[in-house]
């Protein structure tokens, strides 16, 4: 009898493991799909718009069913996900009234905003924190591998560049003697970095040190000054959030080592970018000039400021003639597209995570909110499908801790991935 029960347990364990592997592989493939194949050159010719529209229809149908099913259940950020899903459709009317194309606007909204429905999909299918972060980590490791290989042979790069008329790869730019490619999403890499860094501060295991180093290399290879500055600032602040006497001592030792290393290699890592930044004062000036222009415009047009303009009106052509690009001014730019309610909703959620629920939510989530928040004046945290998916992962994990603090306590998170998986599996049972 015991042998029979043992065999049943082994079979059940194998089936459960196989299921987890299949789900993880499927989700990794889906995330890569959402990110245009990690920005594979020619992706638009491979995957047509109708595939995204079909996926959007399926996601909205499931979202509606699940939202009704859990309408009386206490789920933090449930209505925020509903806002992200429905609010962009308000620009259909405003865009039409301002001279835009309602058909083009509808397609633009549908092909990316549906990713906000993943919040309820995660909840219905009982995704654990562990599973969500493993998916992020696998995508992040694939991304950094591609980044490193393309730096070795930039002429054969097929990710993150752009093809010219002959089909040859055009390198986006060059800094510090390295080719500049935008592979995948820096937001995904930033979340993975915060997770690995947090684990390293808590356990000081070599694996977390190695993964943290890889994620830092990945972020560095985007060769974007704003991203590097906000990352260094966040990592410096992280040392003051850790708890425990010996952990603090080891953290300060690590801080000193990092500080000395940065001082020694500062010029090699950042010297050329800093010199370029001093020489290229125009790009900085034009951004702040654009911000001032938008502030004045919003006061003169309060209704448009609240509801946004959409993405297809002639007004944007006028902005381009003035060398103004909304993507360069973060939440100010997003407010042009979707209105100030869209931008302010982000800060409302960030405030709740960092202040209201700071004692319930794990440090790596708070670090990510800080890191992405510091840079939001230049780069908004969710502007496309892959960034929206990343943001849904963040608020879903935060909701797990807020709604079930006795089962998802931060102390359980400190003992490592394996122990956390046991806790979450028990909570599902």
């Amino acid at each position: 009898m015991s042998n029979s029960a043992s065999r049943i347990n082994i079979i059940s364990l194998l089936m459960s493991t196989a299921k987890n592997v299949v789900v993880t592989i499927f989700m990794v493939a889906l995330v890569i799909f959402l990110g245009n194949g990690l920005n594979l050159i020619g992706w638009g010719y491979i995957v047509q718009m109708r595939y995204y529209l079909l996926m959007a229809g399926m996601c909205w149908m499931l979202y509606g069913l699940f939202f009704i099913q859990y309408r009386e259940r206490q789920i933090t950020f449930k209505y925020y996900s509903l806002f992200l899903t429905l609010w962009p459709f308000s620009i259909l009317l405003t865009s039409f009234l301002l001279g835009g194309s309602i058909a083009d606007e509808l397609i633009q909204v549908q092909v990316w905003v549906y990713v906000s429905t993943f919040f309820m999909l995660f909840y219905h299918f009982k995704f654990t924190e562990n599973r969500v972060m493993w998916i992020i980590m696998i995508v992040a490791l694939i991304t950094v591998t591609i980044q490193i290989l393309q730096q070795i042979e930039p002429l054969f790069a097929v990710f993150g560049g752009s093809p010219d008329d002959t089909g040859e790869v055009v390198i986006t730019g060059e800094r510090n003697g390295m080719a500049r490619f935008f592979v995948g999403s820096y937001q995904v890499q930033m979340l993975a970095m915060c997770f690995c860094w947090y684990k390293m501060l808590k356990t000081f295991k070599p694996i977390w040190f190695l993964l943290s180093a890889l994620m830092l290399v990945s972020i560095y290879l985007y060769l974007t000054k704003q991203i590097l500055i906000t990352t260094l600032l966040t990592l410096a602040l992280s040392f003051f959030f850790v708890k425990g006497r010996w952990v603090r001592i080891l953290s300060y030792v690590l801080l000193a080592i990092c500080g000395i290393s940065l001082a020694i290699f500062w010029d090699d890592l950042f010297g050329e970018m800093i010199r370029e930044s001093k020489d290229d004062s125009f790009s900085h000036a034009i951004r702040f000039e654009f911000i001032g222009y938008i502030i004045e415009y919003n006061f003169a047009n309060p209704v448009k400021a609240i509801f946004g303009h959409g993405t297809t009106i002639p007004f944007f052509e006028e902005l381009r003639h003035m060398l103004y690009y909304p993507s360069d001014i973060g939440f100010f730019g997003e407010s042009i597209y979707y209105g100030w309610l869209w931008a302010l909703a982000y800060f409302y959620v960030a405030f709740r995570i960092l202040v209201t629920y700071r004692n319930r939510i794990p440090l790596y989530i708070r670090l990510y909110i800080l890191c992405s928040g510091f840079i939001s004046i230049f780069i908004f945290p969710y502007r496309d499908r892959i960034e929206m998916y990343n943001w849904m992962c963040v608020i879903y994990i935060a909701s797990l801790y807020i709604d079930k603090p006795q089962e998802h306590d931060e102390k359980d998170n400190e003992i490592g991935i394996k122990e956390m998986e046991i806790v979450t599996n028990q909570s599902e049972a």
Side-chain angles (χ1 to χ4, degrees):
M1 189 71 178
S2 59
N3 290 336
S4 177
S6 179
R7 283 195 296 270
I8 292 173
N9 288 335
I10 292 173
I11 293 172
S12 177
L13 178 62
L14 290 174
M15 291 180 64
S16 176
T17 302
K19 176 186 174 183
N20 288 333
V21 170
V22 170
V23 170
T24 301
I25 292 174
F26 172 79
M27 288 301 300
V28 167
L30 178 61
V31 174
I32 292 174
F33 178 81
L34 293 174
N36 296 333
L38 301 177
N39 294 332
L40 176 68
I41 293 173
W43 180 262
Y45 298 102
I46 300 171
V47 178
Q48 302 298 316
M49 192 72 73
R50 61 179 179 270
Y51 299 131
Y52 290 114
L53 294 174
L54 176 62
M55 183 181 292
M58 295 175 60
C59 286
W60 276 319
M61 180 182 66
L62 292 174
Y63 181 83
L65 291 173
F66 298 156
F67 196 91
I68 293 172
Q69 181 178 348
Y70 299 113
R71 64 186 183 279
E72 297 181 357
R73 190 79 61 88
Q74 173 60 38
I75 305 173
T76 305
F77 302 134
K78 176 176 66 175
Y79 291 105
Y80 173 63
S81 74
L82 181 64
F83 170 80
L84 293 180
T85 303
L86 298 181
W87 177 259
F89 286 96
S90 68
I91 67 173
L92 298 179
L93 178 59
T94 56
S95 176
F96 175 74
L97 294 175
L98 295 172
S101 169
I102 194 168
D104 292 341
E105 205 69 69
L106 181 61
I107 292 174
Q108 288 294 324
V109 170
Q110 288 193 88
V111 297
W112 83 272
V113 78
Y114 70 90
V115 185
S116 59
T117 64
F118 278 52
F119 179 86
M120 288 304 298
L121 301 186
F122 286 155
Y123 189 87
H124 178 79
F125 292 107
K126 296 181 174 62
F127 271 50
T128 62
E129 175 194 22
N130 218 26
R131 175 178 288 174
V132 171
M133 287 310 304
W134 267 115
I135 294 165
I136 291 290
M137 284 301 304
I138 292 172
V139 174
L141 289 172
I142 294 172
T143 300
V144 70
T145 301
I146 292 172
Q147 287 176 302
I148 293 172
L149 291 176
Q150 291 194 164
Q151 286 297 327
I152 296 172
E153 290 292 346
L155 295 179
F156 297 97
V158 294
F159 296 92
S162 58
D164 60 14
D165 295 335
T166 65
E168 295 294 327
V169 175
V170 177
I171 297 173
T172 306
E174 187 174 315
R175 284 181 177 173
N176 278 21
M178 293 185 290
R180 193 181 186 197
F181 298 104
F182 293 97
V183 183
S185 167
Y186 93 90
Q187 294 282 0
V188 172
Q189 305 306 101
M190 188 176 284
L191 177 58
M193 179 209 67
C194 291
F195 179 72
C196 296
W197 185 263
Y198 167 69
K199 290 292 186 180
M200 183 188 68
L201 290 179
K202 290 300 181 182
T203 63
F204 292 95
K205 291 182 179 179
I207 183 62
W208 295 118
F209 177 82
L210 176 62
L211 289 174
S212 297
L214 278 175
M215 293 305 107
L216 286 171
V217 167
S218 178
I219 289 175
Y220 178 78
L221 289 177
Y222 287 104
L223 299 173
T224 303
K225 297 183 290 293
Q226 297 95 327
I227 296 174
L228 292 174
I229 292 171
T230 192
T231 299
L232 292 176
L233 178 59
T234 302
L235 295 184
L237 290 174
S238 69
F239 291 103
F240 301 99
F241 289 109
V242 294
K243 298 177 181 179
R245 180 181 177 185
W246 289 109
V247 173
R248 278 184 176 273
I249 292 173
L250 290 173
S251 297
Y252 293 147
V253 171
L254 182 59
L255 176 61
I257 293 173
C258 291
I260 294 171
S261 300
L262 280 175
I264 295 173
F265 299 105
W266 181 266
D267 192 63
D268 293 329
L269 293 172
F270 309 108
E272 186 175 329
M273 279 188 282
I274 293 173
R275 287 188 288 273
E276 279 185 13
S277 180
K278 291 179 179 178
D279 296 337
D280 184 21
S281 58
F282 175 77
S283 63
H284 300 291
I286 201 72
R287 283 187 173 97
F288 288 105
E289 181 184 306
F290 188 15
I291 290 174
Y293 172 85
I294 288 302
I295 291 174
E296 292 181 8
Y297 178 86
N298 287 341
F299 278 115
N301 303 273
V303 176
K304 295 178 184 177
I306 293 174
F307 292 98
H309 299 73
T311 59
T312 64
I313 64 172
F315 175 64
F316 291 104
E317 195 62 36
E318 179 185 332
L319 293 179
R320 280 189 286 272
H321 284 308
M322 293 188 290
L323 301 179
Y324 291 162
Y325 297 93
S327 60
D328 288 341
I329 55 171
F331 55 84
F332 286 100
E334 289 299 304
S335 70
I336 302 173
Y337 294 132
Y338 303 110
W340 269 106
L341 284 180
W342 179 262
L344 293 176
Y346 159 74
F347 289 103
Y348 168 72
V349 171
F351 177 83
R352 293 188 69 188
I353 290 175
L354 292 176
V355 179
T356 307
Y357 299 116
R358 63 185 182 277
N359 295 323
R360 300 187 189 182
I361 294 173
L363 180 58
Y364 74 91
I365 296 294
R366 286 179 282 146
L367 289 178
Y368 173 77
I369 296 293
L370 284 174
C371 203
S372 59
F374 287 146
I375 203 175
S376 62
I377 190 173
F378 295 119
I379 306 174
F380 197 68
Y382 45 94
R383 304 163 300 174
D384 52 29
R385 289 182 297 269
I386 184 67
E387 291 180 352
M388 178 63 84
Y389 175 87
N390 193 70
W391 184 245
M392 287 302 100
C393 291
V394 170
I395 64 170
Y396 175 73
I397 292 172
S399 293
L400 289 180
Y401 280 86
I402 295 168
D403 295 334
K404 298 182 180 180
Q406 72 280 9
E407 297 176 19
H408 296 276
D409 193 88
E410 184 175 355
K411 292 181 180 179
D412 294 325
N413 197 48
E414 296 174 2
I415 61 179
I417 285 182
K418 186 175 179 180
E419 289 81 357
M420 186 62 199
E421 187 174 25
I422 295 172
V423 173
T424 51
N425 287 339
Q426 288 176 347
S427 68
E428 289 181 11

